[in-house]
Amino acid sequence: MVTITDISKACGVSRATVSKALNGAPDVSQETAARIRKTAAALGYLPNATARALKMGRSYNIGVLFSDETGGGISHEYFSQILESVKAESERLGYDITFISKDLGRMSMDYYEHAKYRSCDGVVIASADFQDPAIMRLAASEIPTVTLDYSFDNCSSILSDNVRGMEALVRFVRAKGHRKLAFIHGEMTSVTQKRLASFRRTCAELGVPVPADYIRPAVYHDPRSSGLATRALLALPDRPTCIFFPDDLSFLGGMSELEKHGLAIPKDMSVVGYDGIPLSQVLRPRLTTYRQGAERMGTEAARLLIEQIERPDTWLPQQITVEGELLEGSTVSDIG
Amino acid sequence: MVTITDISKACGVSRATVSKALNGAPDVSQETAARIRKTAAALGYLPNATARALKMGRSYNIGVLFSDETGGGISHEYFSQILESVKAESERLGYDITFISKDLGRMSMDYYEHAKYRSCDGVVIASADFQDPAIMRLAASEIPTVTLDYSFDNCSSILSDNVRGMEALVRFVRAKGHRKLAFIHGEMTSVTQKRLASFRRTCAELGVPVPADYIRPAVYHDPRSSGLATRALLALPDRPTCIFFPDDLSFLGGMSELEKHGLAIPKDMSVVGYDGIPLSQVLRPRLTTYRQGAERMGTEAARLLIEQIERPDTWLPQQITVEGELLEGSTVSDIG
DNA sequence: TTGTATGCGTTATCAT
DNA sequence: ATGATAACGCATACAA
C-alpha cells in the first residue's frame, strides 16, 4: 500500500505538505503541488478512507436499512428499485453505502449500534417495522436519518402519495361504472391505513357504499394470501365487480384464483393493483395500477440525507411526497 | 462517543488492559475483566470499526460488485436473491458489505481502486462484464475475489449448472414428444455459450435437428426483444413447437406476442424459461423452467470468500457448481 | 497480571 | 510556503 509517507519521501517534502497538496489546500506552491500530484499518480496512490474517517470523524459512508422480517426485503422490485436509486445518488455525491442490520457475527447489536460501529454518517431507513423500538432508537438518535414511507418526528422522510394514488384508482374504477368495490389490504402499517382511509373516503365522496364484507386482510407481496382473500370475496352472495389488490405481485394470486372459477379479466371481474412495477406492464392484459415513483424516492432520500450530513446547521426536517402515476392498463372493464 | 480511554479512566486501569479484556485476552484477571466489561456496557461502549480496521489491516467489510450496465442490476430477481444471501451469510460471519462501483463522487476510480479505498477484505463479483479490463484488474489483484457465473484463473468461483440445467430442459421437452425446438438466447456471455452449447449437444444426442432459423438472439431480462424474436419464429414457414426463452422474465414478452397471434400456451405453442424466479411459479399456467440456486450461490460465494480471507495460507482457488432444479410447470404440451 | 510505548494513515494546528 | 507535532481509537510487543 502506497501512503502519503511514500510520496513525501519521493518528493522530498513533509507528509503535511503532501496532504495539503492532494486536498487542494491554497497554502502550497503551484509547482510543488503539481510535482506531488504527479508522483502520487505515478506511484498509484489511493487515499485510505479508513484513516481519513478516523481522523475527520466523517466516513463518507451511509447506512441503508432493509429489515427483511417485515417482508420488505431487497428482492421485491419496489424496494430493489429504491435501493438502486439510493445507491446511485449516494455514489454520485461521493458516498458509499453499507447495509445496516441487527447482529453482526457473534456480537449482537441493534441498528443504532451497528450504524455507530461502522461510523455511518447517516442512515436511510428504507423498509422496517417502525414500531420496533430498535428502529425508533435509531431514528431518535443523533445520527442523521431519513425514513421512507413513514414519518418520525424531527426526521426527514420521503413519502409515496398513497392517499392520492388510491383516490386516483377509485375514481378511475368508478368512472368505468363500477359501484361494487372490494379491497384486499396488506398488513396494518401506516401505509395501509392511508390507502384504506383514502379508499373509504373516496368511495364516500362518490356515494359508493363499502360493505364490511368487501374489506379483506392479506399480506403484502404474498400471492397466496391474496388468493385466499379473493376466494372469500367470490363466495359472497353479492360479489364485487372490481377487486383492489394490496400490490401488483399479490394480484397474481388473485389472478389464478379467478381463473379457477372460470372468470376472465376484465370481462367477468375487474382488478387493480398497486406499485406499478415493470412486471405489471408486461402482463397481458396490462394491469391497471398506480406506479409509485420508487427511483425518485430513493434519489430524494439520498439527497436529503446527505444535505443534512453536510449542512447540519441549516438543516430542518423535511417531508417530501413523491407523486406516482396511474397506469390505466386494461384490467378494468367499462360497465358504465 | 465513548472509547476505551473512557473505560480505562472509569476503571482506573490502562487502555491496554481494557482492550485486552474486551477482546478476551487470556492475560487479564477474571475480576478486572468482569469489571471492565461491566462498565463498558454501562457506559454504552461500542468498538470503532474504523479504528480497528486501521490498526489491524482488516476491515471486516467485503465489497459486492454489480455492474448495472450489463443489465445485471440489483432489481432483477435472480441478482437480488444473490445479493440477499451474500448479505445474510456475510453478516452471519461478522462482515458488513459495501457496494463497489466505478467513480465515487468527483474522484474517478476503477473497481480495484474503489475496493482498496474502502479497505475491503475481499470482493464478490456478482454481475459484470468479465471482459472489462477494470474487472480483470480487480480479479487479478491481491484482493481476494470470488466470481459468480464466470471463472477467472486463480480465483474461486460459484457457477450455476447451466449445462445440466439446459440439458434437463431439452430432455424434458423431448420426452413430451417435441422435435422442433427453437432457442432464443441472451447476449453472448460465457453463460449463454454454455447454455447454447448444451442445447445443441443435447439435441444432437437425442437426434433432434436444430435449423439455424431456430436460434434467435435477444437480450436478457428484456421482454421486448424476446417478443420480437418470438414474432420472427412465428413467421417461419416451419414453426417450432416449443420455444426456449433466455429467462423467465423474457418469456413474458413472448407470451404477449403469442397471444396476439391467438396462440394458447401450451395448446398451440409450448414454452420454457430459465431461472425459476418466484414469479414464474405464480403465473398461470406455471412456467416450465429451471430454477437456479441463487440463494445457495450467494451463500457459498460469501463463505468461500471469507474462508480465503481468514485462512490465506491454506487457500486454494475453488470452483463450486450449484445445482438447480427442473420446475415442470405446465407450459409444455404432451404431443408424444 | 498490568502498564508503557508505538504505530496504523490521515488531517489539522501552529510554528517556522 | 513548508514542516514538526499531535491526535483520531485501537491493538500489540514488550517491559515491569
Side-chain angles (χ1 to χ4, degrees):
Chain A
M1 166 172 262
V2 35
T3 73
I4 50 171
T5 306
D6 300 321
I7 302 177
S8 79
K9 281 177 188 158
C11 290
V13 295
S14 75
R15 285 153 37 194
T17 308
V18 174
S19 176
K20 287 177 192 165
L22 260 27
N23 291 310
D27 60 342
V28 52
S29 77
Q30 295 292 333
E31 358 173 6
T32 34
R35 187 159 46 96
I36 287 171
R37 271 195 292 271
K38 201 172 143 195
T39 51
L43 265 48
Y45 169 77
L46 278 177
N48 181 318
T50 299
R52 189 178 258 171
L54 182 59
K55 179 63 182 157
M56 303 205 298
R58 283 279 305 282
S59 63
Y60 288 91
N61 190 54
I62 73 181
V64 178
L65 196 159
F66 284 88
S67 94
D68 330 337
E69 312 139 15
T70 57
I74 329 172
S75 43
H76 290 302
E77 217 161 348
Y78 174 61
F79 292 110
S80 63
Q81 282 181 3
I82 288 177
L83 171 59
E84 205 153 58
S85 53
V86 167
K87 171 177 182 286
E89 181 70 359
S90 301
E91 284 171 355
R92 197 180 71 74
L93 298 174
Y95 288 73
D96 277 310
I97 77 182
T98 292
F99 287 108
I100 295 302
S101 57
K102 284 182 166 165
D103 297 342
L104 193 62
R106 299 183 353 275
M107 33 189 167
S108 79
M109 30 189 175
D110 65 14
Y111 298 119
Y112 169 72
E113 290 166 346
H114 192 164
K116 284 224 78 152
Y117 169 70
R118 277 294 169 197
S119 307
C120 292
D121 294 336
V123 177
V124 174
I125 304 182
S127 127
D129 170 7
F130 293 99
Q131 308 306 322
D132 181 346
I135 294 289
M136 304 180 67
R137 180 184 184 198
L138 173 60
S141 76
E142 79 283 6
I143 301 178
T145 300
V146 171
T147 51
L148 274 87
D149 277 334
Y150 187 87
S151 212
F152 278 116
D153 186 56
N154 216 37
C155 279
S156 291
S157 55
I158 314 292
L159 305 167
S160 189
D161 60 340
N162 286 292
V163 170
R164 292 192 14 199
M166 187 51 67
E167 178 179 347
L169 282 171
V170 173
R171 289 191 182 277
F172 178 80
V173 168
R174 180 65 194 87
K176 292 281 194 175
H178 292 263
R179 293 186 55 83
K180 298 181 181 180
L181 318 185
F183 189 97
I184 302 176
H185 63 260
E187 306 90 304
M188 260 307 166
T189 63
S190 73
V191 166
T192 307
Q193 283 166 5
K194 281 179 192 155
R195 291 188 195 163
L196 185 50
S198 177
F199 175 81
R200 287 202 147 106
R201 193 173 70 186
T202 310
C203 282
E205 283 177 19
L206 297 173
V208 172
V210 180
D213 275 350
Y214 277 16
I215 308 291
R216 294 281 168 177
V219 176
Y220 284 119
H221 304 133
D222 176 36
R224 213 185 115 273
S225 68
S226 278
L228 293 176
T230 303
R231 185 181 305 175
L233 288 171
L234 295 180
L236 291 177
D238 187 23
R239 282 184 181 172
T241 63
C242 180
I243 300 176
F244 285 61
F245 285 91
D247 55 84
D248 296 347
L249 198 65
S250 294
F251 153 69
L252 293 172
M255 186 178 80
S256 63
E257 189 66 27
L258 290 171
E259 203 172 63
K260 276 187 208 160
H261 287 73
L263 301 175
I265 300 171
K267 192 168 70 68
D268 308 313
M269 180 63 75
S270 293
V271 298
V272 308
Y274 209 97
D275 279 352
I277 58 178
L279 163 67
S280 71
Q281 298 311 295
V282 87
L283 294 173
R284 289 300 174 273
R286 291 209 337 271
L287 184 60
T288 298
T289 185
Y290 192 83
R291 194 176 69 73
Q292 303 195 72
E295 325 74 22
R296 181 101 194 288
M297 291 177 68
T299 306
E300 292 292 332
R303 194 180 60 72
L304 231 55
L305 182 63
I306 292 170
E307 193 175 302
Q308 176 179 356
I309 291 168
E310 301 192 336
R311 274 186 286 289
D313 39 339
T314 69
W315 173 80
L316 280 176
Q318 209 174 135
Q319 266 67 252
I320 293 187
T321 297
V322 173
E323 284 184 41
E325 165 193 17
L326 181 75
L327 300 181
E328 293 205 3
S330 25
T331 54
V332 177
S333 62
D334 194 333
I335 62 175
Chain B
M1 165 171 262
V2 33
T3 72
I4 50 170
T5 307
D6 300 321
I7 301 177
S8 78
K9 281 176 188 160
C11 290
V13 296
S14 75
R15 285 154 39 197
T17 308
V18 174
S19 178
K20 287 177 194 165
L22 260 28
N23 291 311
D27 59 344
V28 52
S29 77
Q30 295 292 332
E31 357 174 6
T32 33
R35 186 160 45 98
I36 287 172
R37 272 195 292 272
K38 200 173 144 197
T39 52
L43 264 49
Y45 168 78
L46 278 176
N48 181 318
T50 300
R52 188 178 259 170
L54 184 58
K55 179 65 183 154
M56 303 205 297
R58 283 279 306 282
S59 63
Y60 288 91
N61 190 55
I62 74 181
V64 178
L65 196 160
F66 284 89
S67 94
D68 329 338
E69 312 138 16
T70 57
I74 331 173
S75 42
H76 290 301
E77 219 161 347
Y78 174 59
F79 292 109
S80 63
Q81 282 181 1
I82 288 177
L83 171 59
E84 206 153 56
S85 52
V86 167
K87 170 177 182 288
E89 180 71 358
S90 301
E91 284 171 355
R92 198 180 69 76
L93 297 173
Y95 287 73
D96 276 311
I97 77 181
T98 293
F99 286 110
I100 295 303
S101 58
K102 284 182 164 162
D103 297 341
L104 193 62
R106 299 183 355 277
M107 33 188 167
S108 78
M109 30 188 176
D110 64 14
Y111 299 118
Y112 169 72
E113 290 166 346
H114 192 163
K116 284 223 81 149
Y117 170 69
R118 277 295 169 195
S119 307
C120 293
D121 294 335
V123 178
V124 173
I125 305 182
S127 127
D129 170 8
F130 293 98
Q131 309 305 323
D132 182 345
I135 295 289
M136 303 179 68
R137 181 185 184 198
L138 174 60
S141 76
E142 80 284 5
I143 301 178
T145 300
V146 171
T147 51
L148 274 88
D149 277 335
Y150 187 87
S151 212
F152 278 117
D153 186 57
N154 217 37
C155 279
S156 291
S157 55
I158 313 292
L159 305 167
S160 190
D161 59 342
N162 287 290
V163 170
R164 292 193 13 200
M166 188 51 68
E167 178 180 346
L169 282 171
V170 173
R171 289 190 182 279
F172 178 80
V173 169
R174 180 65 194 86
K176 291 280 194 175
H178 293 264
R179 294 188 54 84
K180 298 181 180 178
L181 318 185
F183 189 96
I184 302 177
H185 64 258
E187 307 90 304
M188 260 309 165
T189 62
S190 72
V191 166
T192 308
Q193 283 166 5
K194 281 178 193 156
R195 290 187 195 165
L196 186 50
S198 177
F199 175 81
R200 287 202 147 105
R201 192 174 70 185
T202 311
C203 282
E205 283 176 18
L206 298 174
V208 172
V210 180
D213 274 351
Y214 278 16
I215 308 291
R216 294 281 168 177
V219 176
Y220 283 119
H221 303 134
D222 176 36
R224 214 186 115 273
S225 67
S226 279
L228 294 176
T230 303
R231 185 181 306 176
L233 288 171
L234 295 180
L236 292 177
D238 187 24
R239 282 184 181 172
T241 63
C242 181
I243 301 178
F244 285 61
F245 285 91
D247 55 85
D248 296 346
L249 198 66
S250 295
F251 154 68
L252 293 171
M255 184 178 81
S256 63
E257 190 65 28
L258 291 172
E259 202 172 65
K260 277 186 206 159
H261 287 73
L263 301 175
I265 301 171
K267 192 169 69 69
D268 307 313
M269 181 64 74
S270 294
V271 298
V272 309
Y274 208 96
D275 280 353
I277 59 178
L279 163 67
S280 70
Q281 298 311 295
V282 87
L283 294 173
R284 290 299 174 273
R286 289 205 346 265
L287 184 59
T288 297
T289 186
Y290 193 83
R291 194 177 69 73
Q292 303 195 72
E295 325 75 23
R296 182 110 188 283
M297 291 177 69
T299 306
E300 293 292 329
R303 194 180 60 74
L304 232 55
L305 182 63
I306 292 171
E307 192 176 302
Q308 175 179 358
I309 291 168
E310 302 193 335
R311 273 185 286 288
D313 38 341
T314 69
W315 174 80
L316 280 177
Q318 207 174 136
Q319 266 66 253
I320 292 187
T321 297
V322 173
E323 284 185 42
E325 162 193 21
L326 181 75
L327 300 181
E328 294 205 3
S330 26
T331 54
V332 176
S333 62
D334 194 333
I335 61 175

